[in-house]
Amino acid sequence: MNAALAIARSRSWRALNARLPLLLCVLALGIATGYPLAILFLQSVFPQILGGSLEGFLDAYRRIGETPDMLVLIRNSLAWAGATTVVAWLFGIPCGYLLARTNLPGKLWARLSLLVPIMTPPYIAALSYILVMQAGGFGDTLVGGLPEGLRAWFFSFWGVTLVMALSSFGYVALAVEATLSGIPRRFEDAATLLGASWGQTARRILLPLLLPAVFNSGLLVFLEALSNFGVPAVLGTRSNLPLLPAEIFYLVTSWPVDLALATSLSSLLCLFALFTLYGSRWLAGVLGAGEYRPGQASITPLSVGQRWLAWAFIGTLFVLSSVVPYAAMVLTSLAQTWGVGWPTLTLAHYTDIFTFGSRGLQALWTSLWLSITAATLCIAIGGYIAYVNVRASGWAQRFLDGLATLPRVIPKIVMAVALILAWNAPWVRIDIYNTVAMLLLAYVVIYITDALNYSNSTLRAMSVNLENAAAVLGASRFTIFTRVVLPRLKPALLAAWLTTFIVCMRELVASILLLPPGTDTTATFIFNQFEQGDLSVAMAMATVTIMLSTIVLVLFTLRRR
Amino acid sequence: MSYFLEARGLRKTFDGTTVLDDIDFRLERGECLVLLGPSGCGKTTLLNIIAGMLATDAGELHCDGDLLDAPARGLHQPMRERRFSMVFQDFSLWPHMSVADNVAFGLKVQGMARAERRRRVAEVLRQVQMEAFADRSPGNLSGGQQQRVSIARALAVRPRLLLLDEPLSALDARLREDLKVELGTLLRDTGVTAIYVTHDQSEAFSLASRIALMYQGRIEQIGAPEEIYRAPASAFAAGFLGVSNLMPYRRHNGGLRLGERTDIHWRLNGVPDEGQLMVRRESVWVSPSEAPANGCIALAGVCHRTNFLGDRHEAVVSVGEDGFTLRGFSDERVPEGTPVQVRFPAEAVHFLQR
Ligand SMILES: Nc1ncnc2c1ncn2[C@@H]1O[C@H](COP(=O)(O)OP(=O)(O)O)[C@@H](O)[C@H]1O
Ligand SMILES: [Mg+2]
């Protein structure tokens, strides 16, 4: 009798033990992402819930529905993100085609020219463009007076769209290039042999096969634009173009704070993002290109005239997306006096930043250790969660999978607001809010997706038999993970570390919302100095940050060779 | 000029290496010409030139009274105007279209009316026994099924010339065998003129009206399968098709001397002074016991290996003091090192000068 009980107990203990890692992961992610988002949503529905009352059910949403300004705001946000996507398509698709399907000379340079704007934080590009376009900016002092019409156009819907599209068309170009160069030329040959004209082949064969890439990259651009905080905050406000993320920010940070409205707008923003994601997945399923093995693509030779035209296109985009903003940034960081013509140059602003004990150096230091710690935590936790996720099954696994994909879609500003609510709530006894640890938590929660994604794809490609082989030899679960799984995961984790480090170094919105007063990261330093009119120091810091990220990136790339 | 397709002096060079040299052949309507040769000999390149995907560097290509290619006169008819169609080794079905849409594509491009198109698609799919799969997506089909669809797609438009580039090479052995037979029937029934590229001699033998044997960018020999098999024009042709024994010989004392020392009696009319003597493996008889010659050439040797082939044994024998080896068949397993007699009929001998 006793023996039977012992066996039963040990059996259920073993079952629990086998599921323990999965449950732990669910618990961890549940607390980190699920709980804050749940609070955010509840708060938007029951505005008084943090005070312990269920009064005012749906009040905030009703207010949104009844305020014309709010509806305009929502419409603006969606229209702006849509316009950005279309412009990014117009810029990116031709670039992708030229890179994949023509004998354009200097493709390596063209590709590099696409990477520069991808690597540049959009808010820094926006700040630089303000320096060029504002009254008394470089456009006036160096070029000799901008037409007022152009200035007015720039500080409007389309100008803001242009800046955002310039910083994201590279995704479209690279995605289109990857797909186009993998569509085997046989597909087109077969059509041409059957008598199809160039146009028919393009429309019936190439376009349907290309559409998924176009949609997926467009989705990326749309979500990025919809949830981007920097450009709306920097440029939207100067262009009389209120956009959701910036408005949510002001509702949370400036008096009178309206958490109910902020959380309901945040929920709507999430809803749009989720809707876009699933809508485009559905669309991709409908348009479904079917699976095929990538092959050698056909290359169209360009005439001399076409080459010039192609390079004029790519060159113009490069000038607009990179040369102009970088020139403005570097020049401002070096400028001592302003006037008409070339400014007097000085390195004083850089010395300012690097002076021991200066706020700039502190901000740089904070950013560095925060980013390194966050990146390291992300790959440690993310790698493990991905492993558990890939090797598990059942409802808990599906739940974990859902939780893990959430931060990919949830706009960063929403996540930041949710974290504030969650850790500032009356029932939380840990004093984490208003410390730097809060920001570290936010970074990990927001950016763990890269580590999860990268590890997931490696792990899915890896046969379970590798682990089983070790298990047969009597290796423990820990040994299997450290000796068999980790070494194979290493390249993915390194790449994830690098990406996470770079995005954390430039993170603006969570930092600005969650940093305790008196502490800065590089991004908040740049943002605050700029808003306070200390343009040169802001731009010096921007230059230093970008250079730092680039150096780390180059070092990693060289070492991997 | 009564030939349906005629190639004269085709040549192709890639970055200074000549891949095709001086290609001549003619093809009559309804024939199936098989381009047979080892991998890398230029078969695909030649097929692509005929299709119009590549332009030839020299020579002329005519089809049915049209001049397709003549670089000397600056002529190159684009592939979409040639009204040929092609079956690729990797099927190359469009993954975003259903089976029926794949097959209908060429007809749609020709502007065939919808009802007629439907009828034709159904007809061709029935010919390749894929009518049950019309609405499926190619990605869900097996390799053999995909290749059937690909053949249907090529046949649907009733091409002037059907080009097939190793259509069976991507399939596994059993399937290849089945589809080979069906393809033969299909080609005969539709009466389509075809050029079929392969490196597999059994495909060539069962499908070809004529075989063009290719080697290093040239057509080594062209002729009916039996003719090429029976009378190969070169050592390459003899070695590539079937299993042959080749022995260097020269005239000696009114007979022939094989290798350095082995002499045989031979009537010398019409025999070249020296060259290679060829005899097929299946004509060589190996046995441990001596038998009367009966008009056969008989040589003494030592068996040094036998391979069991299922229906008989292959014996590898070193002959005479020269030690050149001959392959032949024997009824039983011959132990290694056993002295044997090797016999072959005089009619089975073929002389090669190259
Ligand atoms: N586009 C090309 N550029 C350079 N060399 C080529 C090209 N296409 C084929 N070749 C070369 O031509 C030779 C013949 O190729 P191919 O016609 O594909 O042979 P096969 O089909 O008989 O195997 C090969 O040596 C191959 O490397
Ligand atoms: Mg080939």
Side-chain angles (χ1 to χ4, degrees):
Chain A
M1 187 69 204
N2 255 352
L5 201 71
I7 288 174
R9 192 180 290 159
S10 96
R11 206 177 274 159
S12 67
W13 164 244
R14 230 181 288 152
L16 180 68
N17 190 24
R19 292 183 71 75
L20 199 59
L22 183 60
L23 296 178
L24 270 180
C25 288
V26 170
L27 191 70
L29 271 188
I31 292 178
T33 32
Y35 156 67
L37 287 172
I39 295 283
L40 176 104
F41 182 67
L42 281 176
Q43 153 88 58
S44 78
V45 180
F46 303 105
Q48 308 294 333
I49 196 167
L50 289 180
S53 145
L54 293 185
E55 267 168 48
F57 178 60
L58 286 186
D59 262 1
Y61 289 100
R62 212 167 291 136
R63 257 161 62 210
I64 293 174
E66 286 161 2
T67 321
D69 275 2
M70 286 291 145
L71 296 178
V72 171
L73 170 69
I74 291 171
R75 214 184 49 222
N76 264 350
S77 285
L78 293 174
W80 182 69
T84 302
T85 311
V86 172
V87 177
W89 275 337
L90 292 179
F91 291 166
I93 295 174
C95 286
Y97 173 78
L98 289 171
L99 285 176
R101 289 303 185 98
T102 66
N103 63 348
L104 186 78
K107 277 188 191 171
L108 187 66
W109 293 107
R111 254 178 231 123
L112 273 179
S113 86
L114 292 175
L115 290 181
V116 177
I118 290 181
M119 287 295 302
T120 314
Y123 66 89
I124 291 184
L127 291 176
S128 304
Y129 257 103
I130 293 172
L131 293 172
V132 176
M133 301 301 293
Q134 69 187 353
F138 287 117
D140 288 342
T141 56
L142 290 186
V143 186
L146 286 181
E148 281 309 315
L150 181 63
R151 200 193 315 279
W153 177 85
F154 180 79
F155 288 103
S156 76
F157 183 90
W158 289 107
V160 191
T161 303
L162 178 71
V163 171
M164 195 64 207
L166 281 173
S167 63
S168 48
F169 79 96
Y171 295 115
V172 177
L174 294 179
V176 167
E177 184 202 352
T179 304
L180 271 183
S181 58
I183 298 177
R185 63 167 299 168
R186 291 276 179 236
F187 285 176
E188 290 145 73
D189 286 345
T192 313
L193 259 171
L194 291 174
S197 65
W198 187 87
Q200 283 169 319
T201 309
R203 200 170 66 246
R204 296 253 174 80
I205 311 291
L206 277 187
L207 195 64
L209 292 174
L210 183 59
L211 270 185
V214 169
F215 269 107
N216 285 333
S217 58
L219 169 77
L220 206 72
V221 174
F222 184 86
L223 285 181
E224 178 66 25
L226 189 66
S227 56
N228 184 278
F229 164 74
V231 173
V234 170
L235 206 49
T237 47
R238 286 174 168 80
S239 309
N240 198 16
L241 180 70
L243 295 166
L244 270 176
E247 290 312 302
I248 294 171
F249 173 76
Y250 294 122
L251 282 173
V252 177
T253 53
S254 24
W255 194 87
V257 172
D258 192 339
L259 278 184
L261 203 55
T263 50
S264 44
L265 287 177
S266 297
S267 303
L268 285 179
L269 191 56
C270 286
L271 201 69
F272 297 145
L274 284 170
F275 188 77
T276 316
L277 180 74
Y278 287 105
S280 69
R281 279 211 187 143
W282 172 81
L283 204 62
V286 170
L287 297 170
E291 301 262 308
Y292 59 94
R293 193 145 19 105
Q296 186 89 45
S298 68
I299 299 286
T300 314
L302 294 180
S303 69
V304 178
Q306 285 168 327
R307 283 181 199 191
W308 278 102
L309 217 64
W311 262 109
F313 183 73
I314 293 174
T316 308
L317 283 177
F318 181 63
V319 167
L320 288 179
S321 68
S322 310
V323 176
V324 169
Y326 274 84
M329 176 179 87
V330 173
L331 201 56
T332 308
S333 74
L334 293 173
Q336 185 171 33
T337 53
W338 298 81
V340 176
W342 201 255
T344 328
L345 300 184
T346 170
L347 280 176
H349 309 300
Y350 287 93
T351 350
D352 273 2
I353 289 178
F354 286 110
T355 307
F356 193 74
S358 74
R359 292 199 55 169
L361 194 62
Q362 272 172 9
L364 201 58
W365 178 239
T366 311
S367 265
L368 260 180
W369 78 255
L370 262 179
S371 303
I372 291 175
T373 319
T376 312
L377 284 174
C378 276
I379 61 162
I381 302 171
Y384 186 69
I385 291 182
Y387 172 65
V388 170
N389 186 13
V390 166
R391 292 290 176 255
S393 58
W395 65 267
Q397 184 271 335
R398 283 196 294 280
F399 186 64
L400 179 67
D401 209 32
L403 272 180
T405 43
L406 267 185
R408 211 179 304 171
V409 219
I410 304 297
K412 282 177 271 179
I413 174 123
V414 175
M415 206 63 227
V417 172
L419 285 169
I420 294 178
L421 290 176
W423 295 100
N424 201 20
W427 57 78
V428 175
R429 295 270 169 268
I430 319 165
D431 252 347
I432 180 173
Y433 184 68
N434 253 341
T435 67
V436 181
M438 185 72 207
L439 191 54
L440 187 60
L441 175 70
Y443 280 4
V444 173
V445 168
I446 292 175
Y447 290 119
I448 202 165
T449 23
D450 284 317
L452 285 170
N453 278 349
Y454 287 38
S455 320
N456 252 332
S457 46
T458 308
L459 285 168
R460 281 192 206 288
M462 186 176 137
S463 162
V464 190
N465 287 339
L466 282 178
E467 290 158 58
N468 291 345
V472 165
L473 296 176
S476 70
R477 214 191 290 165
F478 178 78
T479 317
I480 292 174
F481 184 71
T482 51
R483 290 290 180 78
V484 179
V485 179
L486 266 189
R488 307 209 97 211
L489 214 47
K490 203 175 127 193
L493 289 181
L494 275 180
W497 193 94
L498 182 64
T499 317
T500 314
F501 173 79
I502 288 176
V503 290
C504 285
M505 278 298 287
R506 56 156 86 162
E507 208 304 319
L508 176 61
V509 63
S511 319
I512 221 167
L513 277 174
L514 294 172
L515 271 179
T519 316
D520 266 324
T521 62
T522 50
T524 61
F525 181 86
I526 295 168
F527 190 80
N528 291 332
Q529 297 297 316
F530 197 91
E531 294 299 320
Q532 287 159 24
D534 214 341
L535 308 182
S536 291
V537 176
M539 290 295 116
M541 182 59 100
T543 314
V544 170
T545 315
I546 289 180
M547 271 181 21
L548 207 68
S549 305
T550 312
I551 289 170
V552 173
L553 181 70
V554 169
L555 283 183
F556 260 82
T557 318
L558 288 184
R559 260 203 51 193
R560 204 172 308 163
R561 282 274 161 75
Chain B
M1 278 309 306
S2 67
Y3 290 99
F4 178 70
L5 187 81
E6 183 169 12
R8 271 190 257 132
L10 300 183
R11 189 187 307 274
K12 188 75 196 172
T13 313
F14 285 124
D15 319 316
T17 29
T18 302
V19 172
L20 287 180
D21 199 8
D22 207 13
I23 299 288
D24 284 298
F25 65 86
R26 294 182 188 128
L27 188 58
E28 288 187 64
R29 203 182 294 274
E31 259 194 317
C32 176
L33 175 71
V34 171
L35 302 178
L36 175 66
S39 144
C41 70
K43 307 180 295 291
T44 298
T45 308
L46 177 54
L47 203 69
N48 288 348
I49 286 177
I50 297 168
M53 280 178 222
L54 290 174
T56 178
D57 292 344
E60 284 185 5
L61 186 66
H62 299 265
C63 177
D64 206 12
D66 297 346
L67 188 54
L68 302 186
D69 266 301
R73 286 190 260 163
L75 271 172
H76 171 75
Q77 187 182 44
M79 62 170 155
R80 61 176 292 244
E81 291 165 16
R82 296 192 177 192
R83 290 186 285 130
F84 295 172
S85 59
M86 191 152 171
V87 175
F88 301 99
Q89 180 177 356
D90 59 1
F91 326 132
S92 293
L93 292 172
W94 301 300
H96 58 292
M97 297 183 192
S98 70
V99 164
D101 288 343
N102 264 281
V103 177
F105 183 87
L107 304 172
K108 212 182 277 183
V109 165
Q110 288 177 354
M112 185 185 277
R114 193 190 178 83
E116 203 188 339
R117 200 164 68 209
R118 293 258 290 272
R119 209 178 38 69
R120 176 69 183 146
V121 169
E123 181 187 14
V124 191
L125 281 178
R126 197 165 335 109
Q127 281 181 326
V128 297
Q129 296 166 28
M130 290 293 294
E131 67 269 44
F133 299 86
D135 297 322
R136 294 270 286 271
S137 142
N140 309 329
L141 301 180
S142 71
Q145 292 170 328
Q146 290 192 47
Q147 197 56 295
R148 283 164 196 268
V149 177
S150 165
I151 291 165
R153 176 176 73 179
L155 283 176
V157 292
R158 301 186 202 279
R160 288 204 291 181
L161 178 65
L162 178 66
L163 306 169
L164 305 103
D165 190 359
E166 310 225 13
L168 306 183
S169 299
L171 309 177
D172 54 44
R174 178 48 80 58
L175 203 59
R176 193 152 59 208
E177 203 58 31
D178 294 347
L179 203 50
K180 182 175 77 183
V181 176
E182 277 179 50
L183 199 53
T185 318
L186 201 60
L187 291 180
R188 208 164 41 242
D189 291 354
T190 52
V192 68
T193 316
I195 298 184
Y196 185 106
V197 161
T198 183
H199 63 263
D200 179 303
Q201 47 175 306
S202 82
E203 284 171 34
F205 287 151
S206 45
L207 296 172
S209 327
R210 281 187 304 140
I211 292 177
L213 191 62
M214 290 184 66
Y215 183 52
Q216 294 184 341
R218 292 172 170 277
I219 293 187
E220 192 82 5
Q221 189 176 3
I222 189 162
E226 298 82 357
E227 182 188 332
I228 294 197
Y229 190 80
R230 188 176 39 78
S234 63
F236 168 78
F240 191 76
L241 294 181
V243 181
S244 312
N245 296 293
L246 288 176
M247 294 154 270
Y249 77 89
R250 64 194 146 87
R251 290 182 181 209
H252 186 73
N253 281 347
L256 293 180
R257 168 162 281 191
L258 305 182
E260 296 301 324
R261 268 161 253 174
T262 315
D263 289 329
I264 57 174
H265 293 292
W266 200 270
R267 281 194 295 139
L268 291 175
N269 332 356
V271 177
D273 282 350
E274 60 179 344
Q276 305 241 47
L277 180 151
M278 181 202 93
V279 53
R280 294 274 178 201
R281 178 180 62 176
E282 62 266 27
S283 310
V284 178
W285 187 249
V286 178
S287 96
S289 53
E290 296 226 348
N294 277 348
C296 283
I297 314 288
L299 301 169
V302 175
C303 175
H304 66 86
R305 188 153 43 90
T306 52
N307 303 318
F308 180 52
L309 300 180
D311 50 353
R312 49 193 151 177
H313 295 266
E314 178 195 47
V316 184
V317 180
S318 17
V319 174
E321 298 113 71
D322 288 345
F324 60 79
T325 56
L326 283 179
R327 285 158 189 272
F329 288 134
S330 77
D331 282 339
E332 61 209 296
R333 177 176 292 282
V334 185
E336 219 174 277
T338 316
V340 288
Q341 188 188 43
V342 178
R343 283 182 299 145
F344 47 89
E347 310 87 73
V349 169
H350 179 72
F351 293 100
L352 299 168
Q353 283 178 283
R354 287 191 280 140

